[in-house]
Amino acid sequence: MTDVEAQNLAVAHRYIEQFLGKGDISIAEEIFDEKIQVITGLKPTGAINGIEEYKEVFSGFYDAFPDVEPLVIQDSFATGDRVVVRFKSFQRHVKDYFGIPKSDRVITFHETHVMRFANGKVIENIVSATNLEFEMLMAPVLTPLILT
């Protein structure tokens, strides 16, 4: 692994563990390119564009689904300008989200993030997830957004 790949991997772990795992959006400017683009189910109508939109979208999610135990990174690797991280997290649905009333259920999230780096910052992140519990909970809201 090159020095740049090792640095990118360290930034990716910080992103996953602190930003996603602990909801610490204060580190966004340190780890994201200002024009970051994120493809995620948290915005089913299209890509998240830019740091401010990402902080807003993620803050809303994390406020409604805070973690109940530390996120676990299951696998990660870096090659060239790409880093892949696979993790599992457990979040409790404590507030209404997109009109879905709080359920107090603990939801297990299984995600794989494929990140592209430029100048030591994440410029693109494509999220692939097996989050059936979350998707079923959110189905009344997501179905018309996705299938129309």
Side-chain angles (χ1 to χ4, degrees):
M1 178 179 308
T2 68
D3 288 345
V4 170
E5 289 170 341
Q7 290 167 359
N8 289 347
L9 187 61
V11 170
H13 276 235
R14 187 168 179 226
Y15 164 39
I16 298 296
E17 292 170 340
Q18 290 182 257
F19 186 89
L20 297 180
K22 296 179 182 174
D24 183 1
I25 64 168
S26 70
I27 65 170
E29 283 75 10
E30 297 171 39
I31 60 176
F32 301 137
D33 182 271
E34 67 181 42
K35 295 179 182 177
I36 187 171
Q37 184 176 68
V38 182
I39 310 295
T40 174
L42 296 182
K43 186 181 173 196
T45 57
I48 296 170
N49 292 299
I51 289 176
E52 292 309 314
E53 184 179 18
Y54 193 24
K55 290 191 311 187
E56 181 182 323
V57 169
F58 185 75
S59 293
F61 168 78
Y62 196 83
D63 192 41
F65 290 88
D67 62 297
V68 295
E69 59 185 77
L71 173 149
V72 177
I73 292 178
Q74 297 170 306
D75 195 14
S76 63
F77 63 90
T79 183
D81 66 348
R82 307 287 173 155
V83 174
V84 176
V85 179
R86 185 173 59 91
F87 68 87
K88 178 168 42 172
S89 68
F90 303 92
Q91 321 281 130
R92 184 178 302 277
H93 184 200
V94 299
K95 290 187 178 179
D96 294 2
Y97 188 66
F98 276 96
I100 301 296
K102 76 173 189 155
S103 66
D104 285 320
R105 291 183 57 182
V106 174
I107 306 290
T108 305
F109 290 83
H110 299 272
E111 297 189 0
T112 300
H113 290 234
V114 179
M115 294 164 253
R116 185 169 56 89
F117 280 76
N119 301 314
K121 293 187 176 192
V122 181
I123 192 162
E124 178 184 65
N125 185 21
I126 299 172
V127 180
S128 176
T130 307
N131 295 331
L132 189 57
E133 288 177 273
F134 178 73
E135 292 160 0
M136 295 305 293
L137 179 69
M138 299 304 296
V141 174
L142 294 177
T143 300
L145 292 173
I146 296 169
L147 299 179
T148 56

